[in-house]
Amino acid sequence: MFWDSIPVPKGTHADFAVAVTDDSLAPWVKKGGTAYLRRRTELSDGDVGLFETDAGIVFRQFCADCRGAVYLFAVNRAHAQDDCMIPPDKAASLVCYGRLELKKPIPLPMD
């Protein structure tokens, strides 16, 4: 995914925004749209974050299991092959730059 920082309009709850240059957030944020993000240290299951992974800086939907493993799901399920699991011993080093601010939550994938 490629992205560029853009200014955040006044009155939003976001701390920063990025221009979305691919279909990674479709259908919730379309290619060419703007993703508004809030910096935070804790994510809940189902939150979408901007993560640094081996694949680069990507939007993924977060989910953690009771063992401490973290699952990062492609938001656009057409890219489900990009889902990944981070084992508990590596999950603490996962970098999340921010949580995507949406009006409605995105359901976790069922596949």
Side-chain angles (χ1 to χ4, degrees):
M1 184 192 86
F2 300 100
W3 56 276
D4 298 311
S5 281
I6 58 173
V8 175
K10 290 182 181 183
T12 66
H13 294 287
D15 296 312
F16 67 105
V18 295
V20 178
T21 60
D22 62 14
D23 68 346
S24 64
L25 292 174
W28 290 273
V29 180
K30 294 180 180 172
K31 180 178 178 179
T34 302
Y36 294 97
L37 296 113
R38 181 168 232 171
R39 287 184 180 90
R40 59 183 296 171
T41 56
E42 193 172 312
L43 294 172
S44 298
D45 288 350
D47 285 344
V48 176
L50 184 62
F51 294 94
E52 186 168 347
T53 69
D54 291 341
I57 297 175
V58 296
F59 282 105
R60 292 289 183 268
Q61 191 171 26
F62 173 89
C63 188
D65 70 16
C66 61
R67 298 172 301 140
V70 171
Y71 299 86
L72 297 178
F73 299 111
V75 176
N76 180 344
R77 297 311 293 155
H79 301 290
Q81 74 276 4
D82 296 332
D83 293 351
C84 68
M85 188 274 290
I86 299 168
D89 62 328
K90 304 224 182 213
S93 62
L94 181 64
V95 175
C96 179
Y97 294 106
R99 182 187 72 153
L100 184 65
E101 293 293 302
L102 293 171
K103 293 179 182 181
K104 295 168 86 174
I106 297 172
L108 282 165
M110 298 303 284
D111 53 349

